Amino acid sequence: MIKVELTDVWGFEHAVRGMRNPMNSWDRGDSHYSMDRTRFIIGKNDLKLMQKLYKAGTEHRKFMRQIFISMDITAPLYWWKEFDTYKVGTTANSCSTMHKIHSKEFCIEDFSFENLTNTDVGIGAVQNLLSALNYFREMYLMTKSKQYWWQMIQALPTSYNQKRTVTMNYENAATIIRQRCGHKLDEWKELINELSKLPYMQEITGGGV
């Protein structure tokens, strides 16, 4: 399970301006804001240069690193371990399991269990896990003993969902799309689908990042 919310993109104006600095070609720029200034529209000349620089390689497409993305992502810990591969150019501020794991009762919606086999064994395992975690939580709230806090932390499975507010840039997003397409985890497929819908991503990369 993955949920992407509150996506925001900014930086097109200064990225377009900066990409024309090396050749002093500002007079050929044709991008502009919409009449109500709510949207920055990439012109044909600027898009053509973007596509050319993108194909030329990372050392030439520095403008990609000047277009920024922010989004809230809720996903299981097993997926976040893989996302943490992308350290350069990304920042994530997460909900804390260390400080807030005991703040609410554990329920099935807190976990990504959607692919567990729907059998008596699978259902029983989930029920036993939730019962154990909630028992340790109640004992911790009653006693404030770190012993019970440790039980929650160490018994918590990697299917536990965590929300993080993530910032990255278009170069990061294009790299993720290229490297993670075809990955066995559904979460990657769903994130790639969201990243592919970002403004001008398909046009800049030709749809085949």
Side-chain angles (χ1 to χ4, degrees):
M1 190 283 300
I2 189 170
K3 182 166 63 173
V4 179
E5 304 173 284
L6 303 176
T7 300
D8 192 17
V9 175
W10 71 98
F12 275 104
E13 181 182 14
H14 64 246
V16 168
R17 186 172 68 247
M19 81 174 178
R20 290 200 169 276
N21 288 347
M23 299 301 291
N24 295 356
S25 61
W26 310 287
D27 60 313
R28 300 193 60 190
D30 57 352
S31 299
H32 59 278
Y33 278 100
S34 58
M35 292 291 291
D36 58 4
R37 294 194 65 81
T38 60
R39 189 164 63 95
F40 191 72
I41 301 169
I42 304 297
K44 291 182 179 180
N45 290 344
D46 287 330
L47 181 58
K48 184 176 180 179
L49 179 56
M50 285 177 158
Q51 294 167 337
K52 179 180 178 181
L53 294 173
Y54 181 83
K55 291 177 182 178
T58 55
E59 68 272 29
H60 297 286
R61 61 188 192 220
K62 291 189 285 292
F63 76 91
M64 294 280 285
R65 301 195 290 275
Q66 294 186 304
I67 305 171
F68 303 106
I69 309 159
S70 174
M71 54 179 59
D72 280 6
I73 302 176
T74 303
L77 296 176
Y78 63 75
W79 181 82
W80 282 118
K81 289 194 299 183
E82 293 204 356
F83 180 83
D84 287 340
T85 299
Y86 300 98
K87 291 291 188 183
V88 178
T90 69
T91 302
N93 203 348
S94 65
C95 293
S96 175
T97 54
M98 296 295 105
H99 298 295
K100 302 298 290 184
I101 191 172
H102 61 282
S103 63
K104 63 178 288 294
E105 183 175 338
F106 293 96
C107 61
I108 196 167
E109 289 77 19
D110 296 326
F111 302 86
S112 288
F113 287 147
E114 66 272 13
N115 290 313
L116 283 183
T117 304
N118 189 21
T119 63
D120 290 341
V121 174
I123 294 171
V126 169
Q127 291 174 339
N128 289 339
L129 172 66
L130 293 176
S131 295
L133 288 171
N134 281 319
Y135 169 77
F136 296 138
R137 172 180 177 270
E138 290 171 10
M139 294 303 295
Y140 175 73
L141 292 175
M142 288 173 55
T143 67
K144 299 302 180 184
S145 171
K146 194 173 180 180
Q147 172 190 355
Y148 294 111
W149 178 85
W150 272 117
Q151 308 312 302
M152 286 186 287
I153 290 294
Q154 295 195 334
L156 195 67
T158 58
S159 56
Y160 184 71
N161 294 323
Q162 184 185 59
K163 177 191 282 189
R164 301 186 189 182
T165 298
V166 175
T167 56
M168 65 177 89
N169 57 51
Y170 263 46
E171 183 66 40
N172 301 135
T175 299
I176 289 171
I177 294 170
R178 183 179 67 254
Q179 292 181 347
R180 299 293 173 165
C181 67
H183 196 281
K184 65 176 66 174
L185 287 180
D186 292 339
E187 287 85 357
W188 282 118
K189 297 182 180 68
E190 294 176 38
L191 180 63
I192 286 171
N193 182 55
E194 293 296 323
L195 296 178
S196 298
K197 293 187 292 187
L198 293 173
Y200 296 105
M201 178 64 77
Q202 294 292 310
E203 292 87 344
I204 293 170
T205 64
V209 292

